[in-house]
Amino acid sequence: MNVLKKLKYALMTNLIGKPYLRIERKKSEKKIAKLFNPDSPLNPPLKITAYTKEFVSSHYFKGRYIEGVKPVAWVTSGAPIEILKALGFFLIYPENHAALCGARKVQMDLIKTAEKEGLSNNVCSYVRTDIGSLLSGRTPAGKLPKPDLLLACSNICQTVLHWYRMLEKHLNIPLVIIDTPFVYNEIEPHQVEYVKKQLLHSLLPVAEKIAKKSLKEKELKKVIKFSKDATELWLEILNLCKEKPSPLTVFDQFVFMAPIVEMRGDRETVDYYNEMYKEVKSKVNTRKGALKRERRRLLWDNLPIWFKMRELAVKMAERGISIPISTYTYAWGELAPLMDLKKDEFEVIAKVYLSPILNRGTGHKLNTMVKMVKEFKLDGVILHSDRSCKPYSMGQMDQRNRLIEEFKIPAMLLEADQNDENAYSEEQIAIRIESFFEMLGVSYG
Amino acid sequence: MAAHSMVYLKGMINLKKRSEIIKKFKAEGGQIAAIAPYHYPKALFRAFNILPVELWGPPKLNTLESKSHIQTYICSVVHSILTFHLKGNLSVCDYILIPHTCDSLQGLGSIFLDFIKPEQKAFTLYIPRGRRQVDIDFLSKEIEKIYNELQKATGTTPDKNELNHHIETEEQAVSMVKKLIKNRAYLNTDDYTFYKTIRSKEYLPAEDFIEIAEEFYKTYKIDTPLNKKPVILSGLLPEPMEILNVINEKDGLVAGDDFATTGRRLYPKSEGQNPFVRMAKSIVHSPPDSSRGDSVEARLNHLIHITEKTGAKGVIFFIVKFCEMEYFYLPHLRKGLSEKGIKSIVIDTDINDELSQQTITRIEVFMETLK
């Protein structure tokens, strides 16, 4: 059975998938070239945009045929995946899948499906999107492979614990929870010990049993090295956005961050970011910005509004507003220095996964924002108050007030949602953005 | 609201007001800790002569002040706690503890530490989301950390015996709540009085609570069970408490609950000599609970167990609006209950609002469908 599945996988991915996606990439490249519009406030996107689509699509394409070939795990975005990767797991990220649905604007039908089944509209819209997809079988990815294991890590929110409990119930497969205590101030030794013990005694035995093999230290080190290299490259790419004009906007980054979330730990991901680094660096060298005219530079806080990305990007660009960086995209790079390859791997993983910005206090986030404003030479901050993401959004009102009053940095709160269009008021957002533009001195009027 | 059913004996137990208790405790040299929901080691505070007073809101508050710090899509319990503090009502307290119960209380704890910066010493406590040995080990260290902080703050060092003494007293108080809930059908009083009494544990010293609970039991105990329709409540807390009157008026009786205030804190007795481990074990082994991230199966089996034990044919999920952790489980719990022939209803509430006529009607209709 497995031999047949392996053959099918090889046939479909290498002989059909690869050439097909390559053709699609060529088409995309042509489409991107045609996108060049002298009247557009945006410069043409990076060439690597077409490859990004191919790269991410190939992951989902492989997923269609992976069952029976490799063990499959569905994991949260902040899960310590290096252990699973080293054991040969194929990974799917339901959060990324929900974001993909939002970006492709197919999420509302899925949300309705989940709500019809009794899930409250007060539950995170990623969850409603993903559960709607699970219940209906509809996905822009074609088909998601059925997992053998669920892995939820609480370092991004408590929501994922409940979400994965629901998946556990639906799929009737093992769930491992890695509980990462919230870091109000500094990381403490007993917190590291707690996470490390869970990795060793909760995750490892279950994962090894499913993978039918033992974890090899050499393999784990290799995966951590790939994670570290990709994360460092991502950080370097983002740091290039400190230049004026910024070679990328946050709207580009939201798309380019997909591999660092769902394919970190792979050699190909390191290659991908190497390529991207070269292209972004060349843009910096030729002083070619993402916008044709960069008048003001802002920081974006929190998740994107996936279903409004293009509209917001254009709206901002029309006024010369560049958003070179966000706390969210930067979060995927800033942990790179913690990945110390000389130390005990499990201790390193424990520390890294305790440290994401979402697992740190509101004061830490304010300090991060202030530092970013200075380093990226920004003129203000947009804080997306995301109804679906309470842990990211709580504290924003005080953060905004401190930015304005204490640090004299213009800041605006934008009430919306990452995936639920019902929580997005076109008119109100337009008014708020317009007022903020006025404050920044980039109003049409 | 119409009068309660005349079957019940009402209001014979004299409960002192929270403010009087606090005043008396302070006058006798004790200190006060305000505690946000909902798992925490009560005995630890008592060993330092600190009375923990729980903050479940308070309800029916105009939460204008909190709205300049937290968004309107955060639950009313969190808004009320913050508003209560910003109005200066926590000035009587010497300490504030905000356990990590959910994303919203995590945010509140963080805002308190980083931006609000109250005059009182503020603590947080991470409650682990598992029931493994590793979770007990971690929680006992968290508890020990608070012990060290309190030691510094008070200059006192309660020894193992003192801690164990308070653990046992608190366990006795929990046993009394268990006894009252177990005998609910044999207590001839209305649910409002019943819950007022058992919830007084949220602010009374355990010794006083045990005394009142014993007196309550003696006063209302009858030999034959009340001939009422038993129903189970689930959620965070029975607020607005008028819901209890609506149930009673429809000939119903709250025969058991899965509330964070009560049913989810019926901790098992602990064993061993290390007081930190004992306190941690009790919390880790609490009944199935959304805030602990328990499985659907565990919560469903627990609810089925309560309904079977009490003969209840219905469950009312009384959910504080925006409480995400409660919402998640509802489709599965309701389906599982339905398969067992148990009806259920979901009521969204805001602890600061009055019970709406629409809600009253929905509960009334639901009660009428129970046989």
Side-chain angles (χ1 to χ4, degrees):
Chain A
M1 187 66 175
N2 275 357
V3 176
L4 279 178
K5 283 188 175 175
K6 277 178 189 167
L7 273 173
K8 191 179 175 188
Y9 173 76
L11 178 78
M12 294 308 288
T13 55
N14 293 323
L15 297 181
I16 296 176
K18 258 189 194 169
Y20 170 76
L21 290 171
R22 190 64 46 85
I23 293 165
E24 287 296 303
R25 174 182 164 184
K26 295 286 173 203
K27 278 192 210 165
S28 288
E29 278 171 353
K30 279 183 193 163
K31 208 171 151 188
I32 287 169
K34 276 185 202 165
L35 270 182
F36 180 72
N37 175 357
D39 299 328
S40 169
L42 291 158
N43 275 320
L46 296 188
K47 283 180 202 149
I48 205 164
T49 306
Y51 178 54
T52 307
K53 203 175 165 192
E54 180 190 355
F55 191 40
V56 174
S57 300
S58 76
H59 179 73
Y60 281 110
F61 195 84
K62 282 177 193 165
R64 294 191 199 187
Y65 305 98
I66 204 74
E67 283 175 40
V69 178
K70 279 183 169 192
V72 177
W74 285 11
V75 300
T76 57
S77 60
I81 49 88
E82 285 75 9
I83 295 164
L84 297 183
K85 281 266 180 189
L87 284 165
F89 274 83
F90 182 87
L91 306 178
I92 287 288
Y93 293 73
E95 290 155 64
N96 275 36
H97 174 248
L100 176 75
C101 296
R104 299 266 179 98
K105 300 187 183 185
V106 297
Q107 83 285 17
M108 290 312 291
D109 273 351
L110 303 174
I111 283 175
K112 273 182 208 154
T113 303
E115 289 177 3
K116 253 187 226 165
E117 288 299 310
L119 202 57
S120 165
N121 63 4
N122 288 317
V123 164
C124 162
S125 56
Y126 270 2
V127 183
R128 283 179 282 148
T129 303
D130 192 59
I131 296 284
S133 172
L134 186 71
L135 293 171
S136 66
R138 294 195 305 270
T139 164
K143 181 200 161 211
L144 295 181
K146 191 177 177 300
D148 305 292
L149 172 70
L150 297 165
L151 173 62
C153 184
S154 64
N155 57 1
I156 49 168
C157 58
Q158 300 304 305
T159 299
V160 292
L161 300 185
H162 305 295
W163 180 355
Y164 276 62
R165 283 298 189 196
M166 302 310 112
L167 292 176
E168 179 191 33
K169 173 78 181 154
H170 276 292
L171 300 163
N172 197 24
I173 54 164
L175 162 65
V176 175
I177 288 173
I178 300 295
D179 192 9
T180 45
F182 187 73
V183 180
Y184 291 94
N185 295 307
E186 296 303 320
I187 293 175
E188 296 172 67
H190 75 290
Q191 296 175 323
V192 177
E193 189 61 20
Y194 177 47
V195 178
K196 188 180 161 183
K197 275 187 188 170
Q198 293 177 77
L199 295 173
L200 281 166
H201 306 305
S202 297
L203 175 60
L204 191 56
V206 178
E208 283 182 334
K209 194 177 166 195
I210 292 169
K212 295 185 183 119
K213 61 173 158 179
S214 301
L215 182 71
K216 291 197 174 80
E217 195 188 338
K218 199 178 149 195
E219 198 58 31
L220 181 60
K221 275 198 184 297
K222 194 171 92 184
V223 173
I224 295 176
K225 172 89 169 67
F226 288 146
S227 273
K228 182 180 170 66
D229 289 350
T231 309
E232 274 175 351
L233 278 164
W234 177 242
L235 187 66
E236 282 179 44
I237 292 164
L238 296 183
N239 281 336
L240 288 174
C241 299
K242 289 176 182 173
E243 299 295 328
K244 280 186 176 180
S246 174
L248 298 173
T249 71
V250 77
F251 302 105
D252 306 313
Q253 294 164 18
F254 287 142
V255 176
F256 295 144
M257 69 185 281
I260 199 66
V261 181
E262 62 191 23
M263 284 179 268
R264 65 183 183 279
D266 291 342
R267 181 193 296 275
E268 295 79 5
T269 308
V270 180
D271 298 341
Y272 166 80
Y273 284 113
N274 250 320
E275 280 305 302
M276 186 186 293
Y277 179 81
K278 282 182 211 158
E279 195 182 347
V280 177
K281 181 76 177 140
S282 77
K283 280 191 86 171
V284 169
N285 291 342
T286 54
R287 295 184 56 80
K288 197 155 193 182
L291 269 65
K292 286 181 183 160
R293 186 177 173 221
E294 186 178 276
R295 294 172 71 194
R296 297 285 185 275
R297 293 159 63 88
L298 302 179
L299 171 69
W300 179 275
D301 181 50
N302 215 327
L303 275 72
I305 305 164
W306 290 108
F307 54 92
K308 283 285 170 191
M309 290 247 289
R310 178 78 194 156
E311 288 93 325
L312 284 172
V314 172
K315 197 179 180 69
M316 298 285 170
E318 278 171 351
R319 306 297 176 88
I321 301 275
S322 170
I323 307 184
I325 195 66
S326 80
T327 52
Y328 184 61
T329 51
Y330 207 68
W332 292 98
E334 62 188 351
L335 302 180
L338 287 175
M339 294 181 182
D340 189 340
L341 297 166
K342 287 176 202 139
K343 290 188 177 161
D344 169 69
E345 297 86 6
F346 285 87
E347 183 139 341
V348 167
I349 295 173
K351 278 187 186 158
V352 166
Y353 287 97
L354 270 165
S355 304
I357 197 166
L358 265 165
N359 204 44
R360 306 294 303 266
T362 47
H364 173 84
K365 183 145 83 82
L366 174 66
N367 294 337
T368 304
M369 286 197 274
V370 172
K371 194 169 162 252
M372 288 172 89
V373 167
K374 206 177 277 176
E375 288 180 0
F376 284 80
K377 303 170 209 84
L378 306 174
D379 303 295
V381 181
I382 294 178
L383 301 105
H384 168 208
S385 170
D386 183 351
R387 195 176 181 273
S388 275
C389 193
K390 292 186 176 80
Y392 216 138
S393 304
M394 270 191 89
Q396 280 182 324
M397 296 173 89
D398 282 295
Q399 286 155 357
R400 176 201 55 191
N401 295 346
R402 294 291 170 105
L403 286 167
I404 296 170
E405 288 156 22
E406 202 176 322
F407 299 98
K408 313 295 174 209
I409 299 166
M412 172 188 68
L413 211 63
L414 202 66
E415 294 275 352
D417 190 278
Q418 63 212 34
N419 250 21
D420 190 348
E421 292 178 25
N422 291 328
Y424 187 92
S425 164
E426 199 79 59
E427 202 177 339
Q428 270 184 30
I429 299 259
I431 292 168
R432 287 196 70 82
I433 289 180
E434 200 54 51
S435 317
F436 197 53
F437 285 167
E438 261 178 49
M439 196 194 291
L440 294 168
V442 289
S443 166
Y444 276 145
Chain B
M1 193 69 57
H4 298 285
S5 162
M6 294 307 289
V7 174
Y8 300 117
L9 298 174
K10 277 197 67 199
M12 287 172 67
I13 298 295
N14 182 24
L15 287 174
K16 280 191 184 152
K17 277 186 182 169
R18 203 174 285 242
S19 54
E20 286 173 47
I21 301 293
I22 291 172
K23 207 172 161 187
K24 183 171 172 271
F25 199 85
K26 287 202 101 164
E28 288 167 358
Q31 289 182 302
I32 304 296
I35 316 277
Y38 51 88
H39 294 295
Y40 67 101
K42 203 167 178 177
L44 179 76
F45 287 87
R46 288 305 312 282
F48 284 95
N49 199 21
I50 298 166
L51 178 67
V53 176
E54 296 175 16
L55 287 167
W56 289 92
K60 312 269 171 76
L61 206 63
N62 179 353
T63 56
L64 196 62
E65 286 86 345
S66 62
K67 289 189 178 89
S68 57
H69 293 273
I70 47 180
Q71 289 92 336
T72 49
Y73 51 76
I74 303 298
C75 85
S76 50
V77 174
V78 171
H79 270 284
S80 283
I81 293 172
L82 183 53
T83 298
F84 199 59
H85 169 73
L86 295 172
K87 283 181 190 288
N89 291 314
L90 292 185
S91 57
V92 70
C93 301
D94 305 281
Y95 309 95
I96 300 172
L97 173 73
I98 305 180
H100 189 293
T101 302
C102 59
D103 287 328
S104 299
L105 280 161
Q106 166 190 298
L108 183 71
S110 198
I111 290 170
F112 255 91
L113 293 177
D114 295 332
F115 300 124
I116 307 283
K117 295 184 177 167
E119 281 175 15
Q120 302 93 326
K121 170 93 187 145
F123 305 100
T124 56
L125 169 71
Y126 191 82
I127 306 291
R129 266 55 178 182
R131 293 172 180 271
R132 307 158 292 190
Q133 184 57 44
V134 69
D135 302 303
I136 295 170
D137 296 344
F138 171 77
L139 184 56
S140 59
K141 282 182 186 150
E142 282 282 285
I143 294 171
E144 194 172 350
K145 199 176 93 182
I146 297 181
Y147 174 91
N148 294 333
E149 297 266 11
L150 290 175
Q151 199 182 27
K152 264 187 243 162
T154 61
T156 57
T157 307
D159 62 17
K160 205 199 270 184
N161 291 337
E162 283 169 273
L163 284 162
N164 281 328
H165 162 74
H166 284 284
I167 288 171
E168 275 139 35
T169 311
E170 291 301 333
E171 287 183 349
Q172 225 183 313
V174 171
S175 294
M176 275 313 296
V177 179
K178 285 181 188 171
K179 184 178 172 182
L180 294 179
I181 290 177
K182 191 179 166 194
N183 287 284
R184 177 64 192 98
Y186 292 87
L187 297 170
N188 190 13
T189 187
D190 62 291
D191 283 322
Y192 192 98
T193 308
F194 181 80
Y195 272 92
K196 272 275 174 204
T197 307
I198 57 170
R199 289 192 63 197
S200 66
K201 188 177 170 295
E202 293 164 18
Y203 59 88
L204 283 174
E207 311 83 285
D208 295 2
F209 174 78
I210 293 164
E211 208 175 290
I212 283 172
E214 272 168 355
E215 192 192 339
F216 183 85
Y217 183 76
K218 276 185 220 152
T219 308
Y220 294 113
K221 180 75 171 67
I222 50 177
D223 296 330
T224 49
L226 293 165
N227 186 21
K228 301 281 168 192
K229 285 188 247 179
V231 67
I232 303 297
L233 297 191
S234 174
L236 285 186
L237 73 169
E239 294 286 357
M241 283 186 78
E242 287 73 21
I243 184 185
L244 303 169
N245 297 341
V246 179
I247 291 167
N248 288 168
E249 280 158 17
K250 280 290 170 185
D251 217 21
L253 180 82
V254 181
D257 79 57
D258 168 46
F259 274 134
T261 48
T262 35
R264 295 181 194 172
R265 297 197 296 177
L266 299 178
Y267 303 113
K269 283 199 172 175
S270 59
E271 288 163 4
Q273 279 306 301
N274 182 326
F276 303 123
V277 175
R278 284 184 75 177
M279 286 184 269
K281 264 188 187 172
S282 260
I283 292 175
V284 167
H285 295 311
S286 58
D289 178 347
S290 57
S291 81
R292 304 286 323 286
D294 281 315
S295 70
V296 174
E297 227 54 56
R299 289 204 60 209
L300 178 62
N301 289 341
H302 180 64
L303 273 176
I304 290 171
H305 173 70
I306 307 176
T307 52
E308 282 174 353
K309 208 168 65 177
T310 55
K313 295 281 180 250
V315 176
I316 300 176
F317 292 99
F318 206 51
I319 309 297
V320 176
K321 199 174 175 193
F322 302 124
C323 183
E324 197 183 47
M325 65 183 187
E326 296 295 311
Y327 287 125
F328 266 106
Y329 292 85
L330 294 178
H332 296 289
L333 294 181
R334 297 191 70 195
K335 187 168 175 266
L337 289 169
S338 169
E339 282 165 4
K340 290 274 175 186
I342 301 158
K343 290 179 178 164
S344 68
I345 185 173
V346 180
I347 305 284
D348 265 334
T349 71
D350 181 317
I351 65 161
N352 295 316
D353 289 346
E354 296 295 334
L355 210 55
S356 71
Q357 190 52 51
Q358 191 194 15
T359 302
I360 293 170
T361 308
R362 287 188 63 212
I363 297 169
E364 284 175 345
V365 171
F366 179 73
M367 291 306 298
E368 281 163 15
T369 63
L370 301 180
K371 286 171 189 162

